[in-house]
Amino acid sequence: MNGPPPPGQILDAVWAKSPADGQSRGESLTSHLRATLLAARAVRHRTGRLAAVTPVLDSAAFWAAVEWACLTHDGGKVEEGFQEMVHKLRPFWGERHEVLSLGFLPRLIGDPALLPWVSVGVASHHRALTGGEGRDLRALYGSSDRAEFAERFDRIPARSVSALTTWLHETAAAHGLPGHPTPPEPERPDPAAALLGHAHRLLGDLLDRWEEQAADDDGLTAVLLQGAVTMADHLSSAHRDLAADQPLDARFPPLLAEWMAGKDQRLRPHQAQAANLSGHLLLRAPTGSGKTEAALLWASRQVADLAGESGGVPRVFYTLPYLASINAMTKRLGELLGVPEVVGVAHSRAAAHHFAVATAPQDGPDDDGDADRSEGTPSRADAAAKAVARGAATRLFHETVRVGTPYQLLRGALVGASHSSVLLDTANSVFVMDELHAYERERLGFILANAALWERLGGRVAVLSATLPAKLAELFRATLARPIHSVDAPGLGLPPRHRLSVRDHHLTDPAAVAEINARLARDESVLVVANNVAHALALFEQLAPSVREKHGPDAATLLHSRFKRGDRMGIEERIIKRSGTREPRRPGLLVATQVVEVSLDVDFDVLFTAAAPLEALLQRFGRVNRVAARLPADVIVHQPAWTTRRGQGADEFADGIYEQPPVEAAWDLLTAHDGTLIDEADATAWLDAVYDSPWGEQWYADVLAARDSFASAFLRFDFPFADRSDLTEAFDALFDGTEAVLLEDRKKYADALAEAKGEAGRLLADDYLIPLPHWATRLARWDRELKVRLIDGDYTSDLGLRGVRDEPGNDYQPGEVL
């Protein structure tokens, strides 16, 4: 007597995904659901126990809800319309499978307290529940009665529903998921109708529950649950895993000691002190004191503590403001830890970093003693594909150590299916925040707001600086609830590196040009830093010809932010080759804007700079006599020109860039110390003086206001599943610039795109992109075919973007903040 086919046979042709390129079969639904459950287990193992979940849902119940949601999240894909789509029998289905997936839950989950939270994970893993301008689930289904709902899902195969219900129950039992009835609820005469009834009721309950304002703990719990489910779903869909080892743990201190012993070094007192502290940290340590090593030793202690408290594998996030310093730190950490594959690069240009590493010439000699620069080097297309894959692994949270900008972490505040995983990944983690002086007050406020949330999620935060103003320390103490340890490294006994001089004329004044030429004539290595592109261009065109005539074409270089990416990479390589700290000093000239402040490890004989805020000037000073290897070097500061900005009223700015009060405060301090030798101790005292001024009091208030504004707009979770696309646009305007391709490079850009598939081709084409600020989109036009902005600009490879050819009055002025 023949019975019904077994569930496995019925479900064999039910797919979750269409076939990949070159494949004839798609991924089965049961394979994907099982893989997503296993991915959820991996996410749970690495995240650990959560302290921030709602009082009515403890950490164990939270993870049970996550696992149930992952096991059932795509059950609605049994509908025949969806199956026709993944089998490529129709282009589009038009309904939401996650809504139908809800219908499986009541027959599987017997715990009434658990069921609503599982529903949250299932329903929210793709779309907002409310407020999505017609794309959210309330807009799509909220007004549908039971009959209309059934009409929209009108082809549900009863055998598939029964088979999948049985499979889900058996799989849940085999994996020990709590809350399921044994045996399952008896089968109803019409499984498809029952599924529709359950789905319609649960969706209505969900929409009613989350349309009302939620308690903050409940809202945060819901967002974290959504983040765990979407992280697991994305991992299983991409067939990726999570690194489950944190090398920056108790194994790191002896590893570092061995590394230092090889360099005949020992731990300094502030490093040993940091290594033994448990909790938040403010570390002030001068250049060359081993600040990074101290921070890593502190981080390894926090990792051990948090692993014990949470049972998870804490992640370590090392944040820096500039891509070049991020890339350098990534390399340094990979070398220190000995496992570069667990160190991720978390910034918008991560794939480009991996591509540059993959295509860099090999430095080691081959068997013949010659440097091997071709054999074994991957093709550009292959290297781009691998770089994209490595970048994708970081976006899927693979690595346990990540170096990047704070902005990638701040995106977690946008929550929703696209960003809630970022928030979850910060739970029970360690944050090392370096070079905070580089952030203007609004962005600093946003970082502070997130630091408070990271603390709430079980994290620990360290702030590092060579010159940490007391006001900045006060801000962190006013933000974080738990005590903060302070460590101040003593002076290293090194001689002062710089002799300060001021000039009462502008950097572009003929007297300044004559003085710079005099130092060049003495065959010195000269750095000139202007505040805007127009001044940098003017100075370079006056100074460069004689230097190049005497020392060769690479002896004079211009650097600012408006070069094509490919050109800028070549420029920076030439600068490092000629003026890097590991190179013998050679005569020459670098004229630059602010981009030189922390992005290049260079060492010059003398600096000529326009006046700027003190933090910026101190970074410029740091490019001269960098390691105190010789007598104090001259750093010469010139009075700025005061001018208004287009469209910003009557306020005056130094060279059209920096607001007046902090520049004037710095100028007053500098003129009072004209002719003196200076070191980091002086700089810290000067910074405190600037921040103790009325301007500093206003700065402090503005940072706090930005912190509170960001927390109110982005970090309140009382409506956790409302659509936040409007906030996403506002966020991008605050943090992201844009990029454009020169009109004349359009064909080259298109050819590069065609050299490799998808994102890899776009990576190859990146060489032609010129960075622009977000507001400059009005100067470009969107190319729909290439999906890039085009700009008709005046550009050369050695001078960069000099202007934009556009209608009169709407062109780029080189002195503007562009």
Side-chain angles (χ1 to χ4, degrees), residues 373-436:
R373 298 181 178 271
S374 57
E375 187 175 349
T377 301
S379 71
R380 280 173 49 85
D382 288 344
K386 291 176 181 177
V388 167
R390 182 72 191 274
T394 300
R395 289 196 299 274
L396 289 169
F397 313 101
H398 173 76
E399 299 95 346
T400 53
V401 179
R402 267 166 265 156
V403 187
T405 65
Y407 309 136
Q408 300 303 311
L409 297 174
L410 265 58
R411 296 196 78 87
L414 297 172
V415 298
S418 298
H419 304 292
S420 54
S421 297
V422 177
L423 196 63
L424 177 84
D425 194 49
T426 61
N428 299 325
S429 291
V430 180
F431 304 85
V432 179
M433 310 184 74
D434 204 349
E435 297 181 6
L436 282 177

Side-chain angles (χ1 to χ4, degrees), residues 549-596:
E549 182 178 356
K550 186 175 183 180
H551 299 294
D554 288 342
T557 306
L558 175 68
L559 178 65
H560 54 75
S561 58
R562 306 306 165 205
F563 282 95
K564 298 176 192 177
R565 294 196 183 280
D567 288 344
R568 178 164 173 174
M569 184 180 298
I571 289 169
E572 290 184 350
E573 288 175 354
R574 292 196 299 273
I575 292 169
I576 293 294
K577 186 175 181 180
R578 190 172 192 92
S579 304
T581 55
R582 299 182 182 182
E583 302 294 331
R585 288 195 319 284
R586 299 164 64 188
L589 168 72
L590 172 61
V591 179
T593 58
Q594 299 89 328
V595 297
V596 78

Side-chain angles (χ1 to χ4, degrees), residues 186-443:
E187 184 71 78
R188 298 187 182 187
D190 187 348
L195 184 78
L196 282 166
H198 289 318
H200 185 259
R201 176 177 59 82
L202 278 182
L203 178 63
D205 292 346
L206 267 179
L207 294 175
D208 291 344
R209 165 69 178 87
W210 295 105
E211 192 170 46
E212 299 296 324
Q213 185 171 4
D216 190 53
D217 282 343
D218 284 4
L220 179 57
T221 300
V223 167
L224 292 172
L225 196 153
Q226 179 189 48
V229 173
T230 55
M231 184 186 293
D233 186 27
H234 294 160
L235 284 167
S236 63
S237 295
H239 304 285
R240 300 273 188 175
D241 61 0
L242 293 175
D245 181 53
Q246 175 52 270
L248 201 57
D249 59 5
R251 295 168 291 177
F252 177 71
L255 183 69
L256 178 63
E258 181 181 350
W259 182 84
M260 294 179 74
K263 296 178 173 292
D264 198 26
Q265 298 175 2
R266 292 189 299 174
L267 283 185
R268 292 169 174 157
H270 67 284
Q271 294 172 327
Q273 185 181 357
N276 291 317
L277 292 174
S278 180
H280 304 313
L281 174 68
L282 290 173
L283 173 63
R284 184 187 288 113
T287 302
S289 66
K291 177 182 62 172
T292 300
E293 288 76 8
L296 295 177
L297 287 166
W298 169 85
S300 70
R301 169 62 187 268
Q302 312 320 303
V303 164
D305 288 351
L306 291 175
E309 293 173 9
S310 70
V313 183
R315 279 74 62 217
V316 175
F317 299 94
Y318 199 114
T319 72
L320 288 154
Y322 298 99
L323 298 191
S325 51
I326 288 168
N327 295 341
M329 182 59 69
T330 302
K331 180 180 179 181
R332 184 176 181 184
L333 284 179
E335 292 172 349
L336 270 177
L337 298 173
V339 278
E341 63 275 7
V342 302
V343 181
V345 187
H347 61 64
S348 59
R349 299 282 303 154
H353 163 78
H354 295 302
F355 181 61
V357 171
T359 55
Q362 301 299 312
D363 294 328
D366 59 19
D367 293 340
D368 300 323
D370 297 325
D372 182 3
R373 298 181 178 271
S374 57
E375 187 175 349
T377 301
S379 71
R380 280 173 49 85
D382 288 344
K386 291 176 181 177
V388 167
R390 182 72 191 274
T394 300
R395 289 196 299 274
L396 289 169
F397 313 101
H398 173 76
E399 299 95 346
T400 53
V401 179
R402 267 166 265 156
V403 187
T405 65
Y407 309 136
Q408 300 303 311
L409 297 174
L410 265 58
R411 296 196 78 87
L414 297 172
V415 298
S418 298
H419 304 292
S420 54
S421 297
V422 177
L423 196 63
L424 177 84
D425 194 49
T426 61
N428 299 325
S429 291
V430 180
F431 304 85
V432 179
M433 310 184 74
D434 204 349
E435 297 181 6
L436 282 177
H437 60 266
Y439 302 102
E440 50 81 29
R441 68 192 76 181
E442 188 174 34
R443 297 186 185 192

Side-chain angles (χ1 to χ4, degrees), residues 131-189:
E133 297 183 353
R135 301 179 71 251
D136 58 279
L137 296 186
R138 173 167 285 285
L140 292 173
Y141 298 102
S143 63
S144 298
D145 59 19
R146 171 70 175 78
E148 183 182 349
F149 190 80
E151 287 180 7
R152 297 179 68 168
F153 298 97
D154 61 347
R155 293 195 295 152
I156 302 174
R159 288 203 317 170
S160 295
V161 172
S162 297
L164 184 59
T165 302
T166 300
W167 182 89
L168 290 169
H169 183 272
E170 292 173 349
T171 304
H175 287 84
L177 269 65
H180 63 88
T182 305
E185 176 188 334
E187 184 71 78
R188 298 187 182 187

Side-chain angles (χ1 to χ4, degrees), residues 112-134:
L114 188 63
L115 180 60
W117 291 102
V118 179
S119 301
V120 161
V122 170
S124 69
H125 77 277
H126 283 305
R127 291 286 183 94
L129 299 188
T130 61
E133 297 183 353

